[in-house]
Amino acid sequence: MKREDFPRHRKEDEELYLKKRWWLGMTLGDVLDRTADVFSNKVAVADDNGQVTWSELKAKVDRLAVSLMDLGIGKGDCVLLQLPNWHEYVCAYFAMQRIGAVPVLLISGYRQLEVGHLGLATEAKAWIVPDVYRKMDYVSFMDEVKAKNPQMKHVISVRATKGGAGFTTSLEKLMEGGLTDADRERLAMAKPEATDIAHIVPSGGTTGLPKGIPRTHNDYICDVEFLHKGWEMSTSDVALLVVPVGHNLALLNVVGTAVVGYKLVLTDSTRPGDLCKLIEQHKVSYMPLVPTLVRRILESPDLTNYDLTSLRKISAGGEPSTPDLIRDVYKKLNNCTYVNEFGMSEGILTRTSMTDDIDTICSTVGKPCCPYAVIKIIDDKGKELPRGTDGELAVWGPTVFAGYLKNPEENKKSYTADGLFRTGDQARINAAGYLTITGRIKDIIIRGGENITPSQVEDILCSHPGIADAAVIGMPDKVLGEQVCAYVRPAAGVKLDPEEIKAFMDSQGASKLLVPERFEFVDAIPMTQAGKHDKKALKKDIKEKLGIS
């Protein structure tokens, strides 16, 4: 794709960001080079296949970049990147940054519908993918994806287990050998501009086909730099990445390791015992997670079987962190700080600081990581609301993207007249400038004309000692329009009674409006690939139970 096919930041914004040096004018390839040159013999990335040093990683990246050019992939060409938490993902991502190619980050669970759609939307020339991963057989729908994408000339295998049938080549083959002087010259000539698109992340919504979110080298490096400064990350840190690398939450740390120079440990296991073992083995100091996984770790009997004293920081986003979960971290993990955060692939990141008190961490998601970001709470007409008032969160700044890919209608709706991005999240800002997310505007339950925020009900439910997790949705009702339905996962060995839960909510001061009309007790709540409650699946389930088509 050509640069003009992508949305651009407003000219006046670009000029300001560069003048203020909020944008550094560097590419992600530059960032990798600097860190590899300084820490050449230090371990960069470790996974289930071993580990690579920075000099080894740089050599693999450069060799692969040249091989991709030999396949006809160059500046502006999109490549679907669909890999698990393997070091090959890091190699492929940074190889494309070398030559201005654009990785399109796909989660492992995407099948022909999403892969075919995103391939066509981005005009992808190649697809990097395993043949099989866990229960997913990508070869089974490969022909369907290729038929929908005639422009896709290459399907590149990684760790093929069935001989590579259906693939045009393998990533392993493309990384073989060294570089000639001519190769190095080609790499230098292929270097992109800092204003070029670095990658495209699909939107993480639970309805409809995903939208493409393009990010430039400038705005993404700015995003990562300030995020990691806020986390007080240093070259002595070791980060364990459990979140799937196809998500922005993970990519912030893949790029973060190149920006900061810490060691990155990749795992595709979410079993608490495996994670505890890796923390002990690698002396992990930091883990970015989703709250659901934090809870699973804290509830695991393996927690006391390993030495976890190296763990100093846990950050969690993607869904609300309940106060009881946060306080449990401080009880069960000595000297570990919980960073409560909120972020979007579109570019806004907020977090509590390492020095915030526990009440602030429990009740807010902190302040913007980038001190030059602007956050406002606005009404439906775009007017700014006073502090302490609920409204829509709108943001502006050097970390925010320029707009969705090939989606002018969505872009028109998504920005205010003065250039702020409307996040679609309901929030408030307190007198001290701390942000609290109070719900998702589209997720609001409207019961008899009254608005109910699901996260508020979930927080109360999860404070019940017998409830391990809860997800709240609106269920159809002929009289009221919607009623409140709660899917509840009881704590181990606990039998729950709806009337007792209602009494508990009453004792917590919850209005009757917040008390669910229906409870569904389940062994597990379905999750999206992003690690959030899959409310689309829950809404479908309750409709089936109610006999509504």
Side-chain angles (χ1 to χ4, degrees), residues 72-234:
I73 296 168
K75 187 172 182 179
D77 292 332
C78 292
V79 176
L80 305 182
L81 181 56
Q82 189 172 24
L83 293 178
N85 287 26
W86 299 343
H87 82 273
E88 290 92 341
Y89 173 92
V90 182
C91 296
Y93 177 83
F94 280 105
M96 285 184 258
Q97 304 307 328
R98 277 273 189 265
I99 59 175
V102 181
V104 182
L105 311 184
L106 307 187
I107 57 180
S108 296
Y110 277 171
R111 296 179 61 84
Q112 57 265 45
L113 182 65
E114 296 92 348
V115 177
H117 163 73
L118 288 164
L120 203 56
T122 61
E123 303 171 28
K125 280 193 173 182
W127 179 19
I128 300 174
V129 65
D131 56 355
V132 175
Y133 175 65
R134 293 182 175 169
K135 296 181 180 180
M136 184 73 80
D137 183 349
Y138 299 97
V139 177
S140 68
F141 57 86
M142 191 173 291
D143 287 343
E144 189 173 340
V145 170
K146 289 193 286 186
K148 189 174 183 178
N149 287 269
Q151 84 288 345
M152 188 184 292
K153 304 302 181 186
H154 305 283
V155 182
I156 302 167
S157 70
V158 183
R159 301 192 189 185
T161 60
K162 297 181 178 179
F167 293 91
T168 54
T169 186
S170 72
L171 200 75
E172 291 83 358
K173 183 176 180 180
L174 296 178
M175 289 195 290
E176 288 177 356
L179 295 182
T180 65
D181 289 341
D183 291 333
R184 294 186 182 91
E185 175 114 6
R186 289 173 66 198
L187 279 178
M189 294 293 291
K191 180 180 173 179
E193 299 294 327
T195 50
D196 287 340
I197 298 300
H199 61 253
I200 296 173
V201 184
S203 61
T206 55
T207 60
L209 290 169
K211 301 185 291 288
I213 301 170
R215 302 297 303 272
T216 69
H217 295 265
N218 269 329
D219 67 55
Y220 205 71
I221 290 173
C222 183
D223 220 357
V224 172
E225 180 191 17
F226 284 109
L227 176 67
H228 284 74
K229 282 182 177 179
W231 281 335
E232 301 182 15
M233 297 294 285
S234 72

Side-chain angles (χ1 to χ4, degrees), residues 326-365:
I326 295 169
R327 294 182 189 281
D328 263 0
V329 168
Y330 285 88
K331 289 177 186 175
K332 297 180 179 180
L333 296 172
N334 293 331
N335 301 317
C336 185
T337 298
Y338 195 96
V339 178
N340 198 356
E341 65 179 1
F342 165 79
M344 301 180 71
S345 299
E346 289 87 346
I348 184 64
L349 296 172
T350 73
R351 51 143 195 91
T352 54
S353 75
M354 299 296 290
T355 56
D356 280 330
D357 60 76
I358 193 166
D359 288 336
T360 298
I361 298 168
C362 286
S363 61
T364 79
V365 289

Side-chain angles (χ1 to χ4, degrees), residues 241-285:
L241 193 55
V242 184
V243 180
V245 287
H247 294 298
N248 188 59
L249 177 57
L251 185 64
L252 290 166
N253 292 278
V254 171
V255 174
T257 190
V259 170
V260 178
Y262 55 78
K263 176 181 172 182
L264 183 68
V265 180
L266 297 170
T267 181
D268 59 359
S269 173
T270 56
R271 291 186 290 270
D274 292 344
L275 302 183
C276 290
K277 183 178 180 180
L278 287 168
I279 293 169
E280 181 181 81
Q281 176 187 344
H282 292 277
K283 304 299 180 189
V284 170
S285 58

Side-chain angles (χ1 to χ4, degrees), residues 10-39:
R10 297 187 306 174
K11 184 179 179 181
E12 61 267 33
D13 288 341
E14 286 191 352
E15 291 175 350
L16 178 65
Y17 301 157
L18 289 168
K19 180 182 178 180
K20 295 285 190 178
R21 296 294 185 268
W22 300 338
W23 282 359
L24 300 178
M26 295 173 61
T27 69
L28 288 160
D30 294 332
V31 170
L32 177 69
D33 278 345
R34 287 159 65 102
T35 300
D37 289 345
V38 174
F39 302 109

